Amino acid sequence: EVNDPLYSSQTNITSTNIDDVWDQYTTGDGSQVIAILDTGGDYTHPDLEANTWINEAELNGVEGYDDDGNGYVDDIRGWDFINIDNAPLDDNMHGTHVAGIAGAVGNNGIGIAGAAWDVKLMHIKVFQSTGVGNSTTIAEGVEYASTNGATILNMSFGSYAESSTLKLAMENAYATLILVAAAGNNGLCIGPGVGCFPHYPA
């Protein structure tokens, strides 16, 4: 039995049969890096800290220097494309919520259990505190994820407007990682078909 105190209220786990996946396969082996493209993430959260992705080259490098040559200085836990700094902390809580669903540490007696218990969460802030963002910034986040070792890109957002910039960034990223996007919370058909509304990036 899972010992996370809020696990019993996580109906999402049982309704999607994730607990069966744990039994049949694994709860994660730490090899997957999920880039959470969102409002940032609270990587100091006791249920997320142990699963937060760490850029070892920058962690063990020279402070104030781009040790891995990726164009971002001291990006130890990801990057904040809104405030242009190395602290992609969440000032909205949506990104932290999403990160928890994907990869909160499981069976640690704290909070909830993520879909994967042992995974690396790369926090990439591309949305402002209000939840507003633009496709150019999001595209930069997609590129960051794909060039810095993410294996899964989670995009829990959407719009009815298509962006060629974002589409190109995702086409390039698709070569090396799995793209996951929200299909909308309103129950509308996103197409193709009559009465459907295309929803991007899903």
Side-chain angles (χ1 to χ4, degrees):
E1 188 59 38
V2 184
N3 68 13
D4 300 276
L6 298 175
Y7 175 71
S8 58
S9 62
Q10 286 186 262
T11 53
N12 60 308
I13 298 287
T14 47
S15 65
T16 54
N17 299 317
I18 289 174
D19 47 343
D20 292 337
V21 175
W22 295 340
D23 293 340
Q24 275 185 274
Y25 298 97
T26 171
T27 53
D29 60 6
S31 64
Q32 299 299 318
V33 178
I34 308 176
I36 307 288
L37 221 60
D38 217 291
T39 57
D42 182 5
Y43 44 77
T44 67
H45 192 292
D47 227 5
L48 297 179
E49 192 173 19
N51 278 354
T52 291
W53 172 79
I54 298 293
N55 183 342
E56 298 290 344
E58 293 290 351
L59 178 70
N60 301 312
V62 179
E63 191 177 343
Y65 182 75
D66 181 11
D67 300 279
D68 57 3
N70 69 352
Y72 301 94
V73 176
D74 297 341
D75 55 323
I76 295 169
R77 296 176 191 84
W79 193 255
D80 182 340
F81 285 91
I82 299 297
N83 301 297
I84 321 298
D85 62 39
N86 70 335
L89 282 163
D90 191 359
D91 49 14
N92 173 284
M93 286 304 122
H94 185 268
T96 299
H97 176 80
V98 169
I101 292 170
V105 180
N107 224 32
N108 64 343
I110 300 170
I112 64 168
W117 299 0
D118 186 4
V119 71
K120 295 289 169 265
L121 301 165
M122 180 188 287
H123 302 286
I124 304 175
K125 182 171 172 61
V126 292
F127 287 92
Q128 299 167 17
S129 58
T130 55
V132 173
N134 69 66
S135 54
T136 310
T137 307
I138 296 167
E140 287 182 300
V142 170
E143 186 184 4
Y144 180 91
S146 64
T147 56
N148 287 284
T151 54
I152 299 166
L153 179 59
N154 188 84
M155 300 171 284
S156 291
F157 53 83
S159 159
Y160 293 106
E162 186 177 11
S163 158
S164 54
T165 305
L166 181 53
K167 186 181 181 188
L168 181 63
M170 290 197 304
E171 283 173 351
N172 290 334
Y174 184 63
T176 56
L177 46 72
I178 295 167
L179 303 172
V180 181
N185 296 336
N186 49 19
L188 294 176
C189 165
I190 67 170
V194 179
C196 291
F197 303 89
H199 194 254
Y200 302 97

